[in-house]
Amino acid sequence: MEFRFDANQEFQIQAVEAVADLFDGQGRVAAQMRFEEGALSLAAVANRLDIGENRLLENLRAVQKRHKIRPDEKLEHIEEDIATINGRKAASFPNFSVEMETGTGKTYVYIRTMLELFKRYGLRKFIVVVPSVAVREGVLKTLQVTERHIRQLYGNPVYRYYVYDSANLSQVRQFAQADSVEVMVMTMDSFNKASNVIRQSTDRLQGETPIHLVQASRPILVLDEPQNMESEKSIAALAALDPLFALRYSATHRNPYNIVYRLTPAEAYRQGLVKKIEVDSVIRESDENRPYIRVEAIESKKNTITAKMAIHKLMKSGQVKETVLTFRPGDSPAEKANRPEYAGWEIDEINPGGKFVRFANNIEINLGDEQGADKEAIFAAQIQHTVEEHFRKQERLRGRGIKVLSLFFIDRVANYAREDGLIRRLFNKAFEQLKMRHDAWKDLTAGEVQAAYFAEKRRKGGMTELVDSVSGESREDEAAYDLIMKDKELLLSFPEANEEEETRRKKHVCFIFSHSALREGWDNPNVFQICTLNQTASMVKKRQEVGRGIRLAVDQSGQRVHDEGVNVLTVVANESYRDYVETLQSEIAFEYRAEIEARYGKPISELTKAERRKIESEYGEGILPPPPRKAGTNKARLRKARVMKEDFKELWERIKHKTRYAVRIDTDRLLNDVIPDLNGAGVSTPRVAITKAVVEVGEDGIFEAMQMSAARTALDLRGRYPLPNLVELMASLMEHTSPPIRLSRKTLLSIFRRAANKQSAMNNPHEWASVAVRILKEKLADHLVNGIQYEKLNEWYELTQILDDDEVELFSKYIAEPNEDRDKSIYDFIPCDSEIEEQFVKDLESREDVKLYLKLPYWFTVPTPVGDYRPDWAIVMDGPAQEGKPVLYLVSETKGSTRKDDLRPDEWRKIKCGAAHFGSKYFRTKGALEGVDFKLVTKASELP
């Protein structure tokens, strides 16, 4: 295979020209020897710029306007006091940034840009700086495969490229003194320390220091993934090279130095420049039956040791939610989680040195590890699904000459590197089982189709540094490294019958395993599946993962395939597809927010409306969070004179009293209502389920997930955990969900004994108990409300509570403004909960028989068995003349409907309790208060 390149892709041409046009007005500089400080040994053919900074800034702003990027006011220089050139301070240098989504040919673009700068201006010395070996190998590979294409495109210029090698310092002299285009690729680690060979004088260069030769050539720096080069140490190292300027290429800039071109993720996705993304979420469903704990952090501060741990907490709503809490020795997760399942998991020891937490049951969990997630079940389902997807796609694409690759990001190296490692074992098992369904794979073994590459920390010369390795030290491991990092053509090729065995063996590889080494700087156009076997999904950058396989596919001729039906990347994730895409979107937005804040010099929350509109026109509407509502910007002021009038005092006197309620429960009748509904209720089987969704980009630039398939069961989880005490579980759910209620253990045991679906309780105890408690609370609430009676207390709401609140902050979207001349309201503005309420106020204002109305304050509540009830309005109006009552005192509740079925159950129950508290002709109830009528209405015309 030989890769083929299209020189006419408009977005790539625009990116090249954006940089080249920065130097418009610069004449082409001929090769000329430059002598550093008169030293013959430091002679170099150097880059040179003759245009001044004013012209450079003018060109920059013109390029930015052309690409609809906000023009910068100045050139962004990097100046570092630490950097010196032969004893003098290094010159500062300008920086220009190109932002291109991963997979759109960023490396190709900057290689072509270097040759374009040579063609136009004679600039010829370039250093490509990379953050890691993986990125370095990717750059070198692209230089190799594009060489013939680039030479043809630019008239066969003389240009050389090579990786800097501290053992071959003659290449440094060549770099400095040659008059050809020289491209040297260097990792940051090769020149960012005083101990580096490049910074030491050597006899091999007649006593000169290699870095001085580099400085003499005034190189142009091409920074690949510069967000990894922002530390003070890195900046000093870059400045020490004395560059003419720096070109920064990334999809995720941390600092936006003078951006000249931008291809956003949404635009690349929308234009079909990258693969479409499917998310196949593999998650546990209906399985809250075991205690889950994950140790996130261990901290030791001021003689206090704490651990941050994720647990599954029972919320008031009845939902079990993963929550990160802080624990100290002796703390009880059972109490903090409100779940008896955590009994025995009290914190016995938090060990910062050993980085583990020991529990009372003698189980230890190391930092970053988890307990209770049934990780093996999730991993097994993910791996099996990935292998199935791989087989299906390969069968579909083989006829088009496209080899399919799958990439696995694993949670830890040991889970694959060991022969009995969990992930290696699960993959081997899945492959050997599934291959029998596919003829093309039957003769291959799991070992023949997989390879791995990791980066490990090792001790060298008393220092810890990152070195490259694979899963071991064998020749097979080294061959795997070469195949993954260097022999991309072999990896993308199908084996042929007449090839030698070694070549065929390499071409059989199509499943690649890595921990973190392949997350940045490496990708492959034919990665069609990415399986994320990560314990903590939030620790993994989604864009880094997706970027490894988002490049458009190539066929066996090396030709790029532009077919949306082919270019689909399937991400097999261990989280819901909605969460996955939300995280992906939030990471994209976060990266741009950092850039925006750096540009404007203030937080997003402080941007003006005009600035927000400008940004959203440039980046897309979804890039900014909604502006925060500022407290106190609008206030309702109390009309104290209106409060002191007799009609308001009389109204308050009638409604002010507090009450208490009494109820009676017939237990047998309650159980007779509960059991039929419980027997008819569905209780899900605990399982690992897989759901497929496709990622789309809306007109506003927001990534969204569209579900494509119903969830299917990948693994049944019944019987994989000990059965709890169901009565205790129900009692805990009764007490810790809203509203908290205590029933006797005898009553709860009766419910279980009378239930017909006991097998469901055995299959999924937690869900069965949750369903039983929900039904029980609903029936109990109905019984309580239907038989409720209120008694007036010798307690009341004081009028001074209103008088003291002479200003009320308004946070509502709906605010009504009463007519001051009519004098019907005690406030000059009224916060409303909805448009219905806003209209209600307007109608009250227009009715002549309404004398006074009050939006009752938030603290005015009526106790009910299902939570406090807050009535809406108190109203004084003329009564019907035929009844001989000149005044009516009303408490009104405004809703969009008066039908029970249109309201939430607890909403209706609270309204009924309000009627029993005040008294209501509408509900035909006699209340605890006298002279007040409670009514439910949708509009003011429904009042008497």
Side-chain angles (χ1 to χ4, degrees):
M1 173 191 290
E2 181 180 348
F3 289 104
R4 300 175 185 272
F5 298 90
D6 182 359
N8 300 310
Q9 295 195 81
E10 185 62 27
F11 71 97
Q12 293 179 341
I13 294 172
Q14 289 177 354
V16 173
E17 290 182 343
V19 173
D21 289 350
L22 288 170
F23 311 103
D24 185 46
Q26 164 78 23
R28 195 175 193 282
V29 178
Q32 185 177 355
M33 193 69 74
R34 171 176 179 255
F35 298 91
E36 178 66 29
E37 298 291 328
L40 182 61
S41 60
L42 290 181
V45 174
N47 291 320
R48 191 180 84 221
L49 274 183
D50 297 325
I51 60 173
E53 291 216 341
N54 289 339
R55 178 61 184 271
L56 194 56
L57 178 59
E58 180 182 327
N59 290 344
L60 168 66
R61 292 171 64 84
V63 170
Q64 290 174 326
K65 288 178 181 178
R66 185 169 78 213
H67 292 293
K68 298 181 180 179
I69 297 170
R70 179 179 178 271
D72 287 316
E73 295 180 359
K74 63 178 182 178
L75 296 177
E76 294 287 351
H77 283 258
I78 284 185
E79 185 171 355
E80 179 54 54
D81 291 339
I82 300 173
T84 57
I85 308 299
N86 288 344
R88 64 173 174 80
K89 183 179 175 182
S92 63
F93 58 95
N95 288 252
F96 306 99
S97 300
V98 174
E99 181 181 301
M100 296 181 67
E101 173 63 340
T102 301
T104 57
K106 165 174 60 72
T107 309
Y108 170 84
V109 164
Y110 70 63
I111 292 172
R112 186 164 165 179
T113 299
M114 290 187 284
L115 272 295
E116 185 71 23
L117 292 175
F118 172 70
K119 175 184 175 182
R120 293 195 192 185
Y121 311 116
L123 301 172
R124 63 193 74 218
K125 302 299 174 67
F126 301 91
I127 297 178
V128 179
V129 184
V130 298
S132 68
V133 172
V135 181
R136 184 194 71 192
E137 294 297 334
V139 171
L140 186 60
K141 186 64 182 181
T142 305
L143 283 163
Q144 291 170 351
V145 299
T146 59
E147 181 174 355
R148 188 168 73 171
H149 168 80
I150 292 293
R151 291 189 185 281
Q152 290 175 346
L153 195 60
Y154 284 96
N156 200 28
V158 177
Y159 85 97
R160 287 186 286 260
Y161 56 85
Y162 37 86
V163 171
Y164 165 74
D165 182 0
S166 60
N168 182 18
L169 294 181
S170 61
Q171 71 177 191
V172 177
R173 185 177 295 282
Q174 172 190 291
F175 175 84
Q177 297 182 348
D179 62 359
S180 56
V181 177
E182 300 289 322
V183 180
M184 184 160 60
V185 184
M186 305 179 73
T187 62
M188 281 295 303
D189 285 342
S190 66
F191 67 94
N192 64 356
K193 297 183 288 290
S195 59
N196 290 134
V197 171
I198 198 171
R199 291 173 177 260
Q200 308 298 316
S201 61
T202 174
D203 291 340
R204 286 180 286 170
L205 293 177
Q206 293 79 47
E208 286 295 346
T209 304
I211 197 171
H212 293 165
L213 278 168
V214 174
Q215 294 163 349
S217 67
R218 297 303 311 278
I220 295 168
L221 301 185
V222 177
L223 308 184
D224 196 321
E225 309 294 355
Q227 68 274 12
N228 298 308
M229 308 172 194
E230 299 286 1
S231 68
E232 289 186 8
K233 178 182 176 181
S234 296
I235 291 172
L238 295 172
L241 298 177
D242 200 17
L244 192 65
F245 56 84
L247 303 177
R248 312 168 74 92
Y249 290 82
S250 177
T252 56
H253 288 285
R254 183 183 300 176
N255 291 314
Y257 300 96
N258 294 144
I259 288 187
V260 298
Y261 180 79
R262 170 180 288 124
L263 178 63
T264 66
E267 196 57 34
Y269 200 83
R270 187 182 290 116
Q271 291 184 28
L273 304 178
V274 293
K275 289 191 183 90
K276 295 293 183 184
I277 302 171
E278 290 178 351
V279 181
D280 290 4
S281 60
V282 182
I283 57 175
R284 291 183 303 137
E285 289 187 349
S286 306
D287 183 25
E288 309 297 345
N289 296 292
R290 74 194 83 205
Y292 173 81
I293 298 176
R294 183 176 69 248
V295 180
E296 299 249 319
I298 295 176
E299 298 177 351
S300 179
K301 295 181 180 179
K302 296 182 180 179
N303 301 319
T304 301
I305 299 175
T306 60
K308 289 186 182 296
M309 298 192 298
I311 61 175
H312 284 174
K313 182 178 180 180
L314 177 65
M315 314 305 288
K316 292 293 184 182
S317 64
Q319 179 187 11
V320 173
K321 183 178 180 181
E322 184 176 304
T323 308
V324 177
L325 301 174
T326 299
F327 292 84
R328 292 178 172 82
D331 282 353
S332 167
E335 293 180 2
K336 291 199 174 190
N338 298 324
R339 299 186 64 196
E341 291 94 329
Y342 284 93
W345 286 89
E346 293 76 19
I347 312 301
D348 187 40
E349 178 185 350
I350 301 175
N351 193 312
K355 297 182 179 180
F356 67 83
V357 178
R358 181 185 294 118
F359 299 86
N361 55 17
N362 211 34
I363 292 177
E364 292 182 2
I365 303 180
N366 293 325
L367 179 64
D369 280 356
E370 61 187 350
Q371 179 82 20
D374 203 348
K375 180 171 68 177
E376 183 168 344
I378 297 291
F379 280 11
Q382 284 184 271
I383 290 170
Q384 181 166 358
H385 183 69
T386 303
V387 175
E388 285 180 327
E389 281 286 309
H390 184 106
F391 286 168
R392 282 196 290 263
K393 281 190 182 175
Q394 187 59 88
E395 288 178 358
R396 190 167 67 249
L397 299 179
R398 184 180 292 273
R400 300 192 60 166
I402 299 172
K403 182 182 174 183
V404 172
L405 303 177
S406 291
L407 175 61
F408 294 82
F409 284 122
I410 68 175
D411 63 331
R412 55 183 56 201
V413 174
N415 275 345
Y416 179 84
R418 295 196 311 260
E419 284 298 321
D420 62 343
L422 174 63
I423 292 172
R424 184 189 288 265
R425 176 165 49 84
L426 291 175
F427 174 80
N428 291 348
K429 179 181 178 182
F431 181 86
E432 295 297 339
Q433 287 178 344
L434 295 171
K435 75 177 186 179
M436 303 311 296
R437 306 177 192 172
H438 304 271
D439 292 340
W441 301 89
K442 286 182 179 180
D443 295 333
L444 293 171
T445 66
E448 291 177 295
V449 297
Q450 60 185 296
Y453 167 53
F454 308 113
E456 298 176 349
K457 287 183 178 178
R458 294 181 184 168
R459 299 286 294 176
K460 281 192 173 183
M463 298 182 64
T464 300
E465 62 181 25
L466 200 65
V467 297
D468 295 290
S469 72
V470 285
S471 55
E473 298 297 333
S474 66
R475 291 178 59 189
E476 289 79 7
D477 293 330
E478 295 302 325
Y481 171 83
D482 288 340
L483 179 64
I484 295 169
M485 302 304 295
K486 300 178 179 180
D487 299 334
K488 187 177 289 188
E489 295 90 341
L490 282 179
L491 192 58
L492 289 171
S493 299
F494 288 121
E496 298 178 10
N498 58 351
E499 291 177 322
E500 62 180 37
E501 183 58 30
E502 179 65 16
T503 301
R504 284 176 54 79
R505 189 189 65 78
K506 289 181 179 181
K507 289 184 177 181
H508 281 310
V509 171
C510 52
F511 295 96
I512 302 168
F513 294 81
S514 183
H515 179 251
S516 58
L518 299 185
R519 282 210 187 101
E520 199 170 53
W522 180 92
D523 60 32
N524 191 295
N526 286 14
V527 169
F528 283 91
Q529 283 77 234
I530 292 177
C531 181
T532 59
L533 302 171
N534 311 103
Q535 283 186 288
T536 309
S538 61
M539 294 174 65
V540 180
K541 290 288 187 182
K542 298 295 178 287
R543 290 194 71 191
Q544 288 183 355
E545 292 177 345
V546 169
R548 300 321 103 211
I550 206 168
R551 192 180 296 275
L552 298 182
V554 298
D555 59 22
Q556 294 300 289
S557 68
Q559 194 71 41
R560 194 74 63 187
V561 178
H562 297 276
D563 184 338
E564 290 190 1
V566 169
N567 287 303
V568 178
L569 172 66
T570 302
V571 179
V572 184
N574 54 1
E575 59 185 313
S576 79
Y577 61 85
R578 290 187 181 90
D579 290 345
Y580 187 93
V581 174
E582 284 177 6
T583 304
L584 176 65
Q585 177 64 40
S586 66
E587 286 177 2
I588 292 169
F590 178 79
E591 289 155 1
Y592 286 128
R593 287 173 198 169
E595 176 184 319
I596 290 163
E597 289 182 345
R599 172 191 292 180
Y600 285 90
K602 57 185 174 183
I604 292 290
S605 59
E606 297 179 9
L607 292 173
T608 66
K609 289 183 179 179
E611 289 169 340
R612 296 177 73 89
R613 285 195 297 270
K614 175 70 175 176
I615 290 165
E616 290 186 341
S617 68
E618 184 176 336
Y619 292 86
E621 293 181 9
I623 204 66
L624 297 178
R629 183 184 287 121
K630 294 183 178 179
T633 52
N634 292 305
K635 292 185 178 182
R637 290 172 176 80
L638 182 69
R639 297 169 176 169
K640 290 189 177 181
R642 186 67 185 89
V643 174
M644 301 311 297
K645 290 185 178 181
E646 287 302 317
D647 58 350
F648 184 83
K649 290 181 179 179
E650 178 63 24
L651 170 65
W652 195 255
E653 186 66 26
R654 289 177 183 268
I655 68 173
K656 71 179 183 180
H657 281 277
K658 298 180 181 181
T659 60
R660 65 184 177 191
Y661 62 84
V663 294
R664 289 184 178 181
I665 298 297
D666 184 330
T667 302
D668 287 338
R669 185 179 164 201
L670 173 65
L671 295 185
N672 287 336
D673 284 351
V674 168
I675 296 303
D677 282 13
L678 179 56
N679 289 339
V683 178
S684 302
T685 299
R687 63 175 183 166
V688 175
I690 300 176
T691 307
K692 183 182 287 291
V694 64
V695 179
E696 299 288 355
V697 177
E699 291 298 322
D700 56 2
I702 297 295
F703 285 84
E704 298 175 342
M706 310 292 290
Q707 185 172 338
M708 296 172 60
S709 70
R712 68 174 180 86
T713 300
L715 189 63
D716 193 318
L717 298 178
R718 286 179 292 183
R720 296 171 71 100
Y721 40 78
L723 292 176
N725 183 319
L726 272 168
V727 173
E728 292 302 320
L729 179 56
M730 292 172 66
S732 178
L733 289 168
M734 289 291 293
E735 184 177 350
H736 293 112
T737 55
S738 184
I741 298 173
R742 291 189 178 184
L743 291 180
S744 70
R745 298 314 196 255
K746 180 180 178 181
T747 299
L748 298 177
L749 181 58
S750 297
I751 292 174
F752 176 68
R753 285 176 173 172
R754 292 174 60 176
N757 54 350
K758 290 184 176 62
Q759 187 57 50
S760 295
M762 300 299 102
N763 292 340
N764 197 340
H766 190 276
E767 181 160 337
W768 186 90
S770 297
V771 170
V773 166
R774 176 178 55 78
I775 294 171
L776 179 57
K777 284 192 173 184
E778 287 176 355
K779 298 298 181 184
L780 182 59
D782 287 337
H783 280 245
L784 293 173
V785 169
N786 290 336
I788 198 166
Q789 290 185 335
Y790 280 88
E791 176 187 357
K792 186 165 67 172
L793 300 175
N794 192 29
E795 299 176 20
W796 52 82
Y797 292 107
E798 296 286 356
L799 186 58
T800 55
Q801 289 181 258
I802 286 184
L803 291 171
D804 289 343
D805 288 340
D806 56 347
E807 286 188 345
V808 179
E809 291 182 350
L810 300 179
F811 296 101
S812 176
K813 177 181 178 182
Y814 308 99
I815 298 175
E817 183 175 3
N819 188 322
E820 188 173 352
D821 295 335
R822 289 179 176 268
D823 203 28
K824 295 183 179 184
S825 170
I826 67 171
Y827 289 101
D828 58 354
F829 291 100
I830 299 172
C832 300
D833 297 334
S834 63
E835 290 182 4
I836 293 172
E837 286 197 355
E838 194 173 2
Q839 185 60 47
F840 187 74
V841 172
K842 293 178 182 178
D843 293 342
L844 291 178
E845 286 284 328
S846 65
R847 283 187 61 156
E848 295 297 331
D849 55 349
V850 173
K851 305 302 180 185
L852 169 69
Y853 63 88
L854 167 68
K855 174 72 172 175
L856 288 164
Y858 70 92
W859 41 261
F860 191 98
T861 61
V862 177
T864 85
V866 290
D868 286 345
Y869 167 57
R870 293 181 173 87
D872 283 335
W873 308 93
I875 305 170
V876 179
M877 58 190 303
D878 289 334
Q882 63 270 25
E883 295 185 13
K885 295 181 180 179
V887 175
L888 281 176
Y889 297 93
L890 299 168
V891 174
S892 176
E893 180 73 21
T894 48
K895 296 294 179 186
S897 172
T898 59
R899 294 180 68 250
K900 175 182 178 181
D901 292 345
D902 293 336
L903 301 175
R904 298 188 306 274
D906 273 358
E907 193 175 31
W908 179 259
R909 293 177 186 125
K910 289 181 179 180
I911 290 171
K912 286 195 67 177
C913 290
H917 168 87
F918 291 107
S920 173
K921 296 177 183 177
Y922 181 85
F923 285 96
R924 299 177 183 175
T925 58
K926 178 175 171 44
L929 307 186
E930 296 179 359
V932 182
D933 188 18
F934 178 88
K935 188 172 179 62
L936 173 64
V937 299
T938 61
K939 49 185 178 289
S941 61
E942 295 174 0
L943 294 171

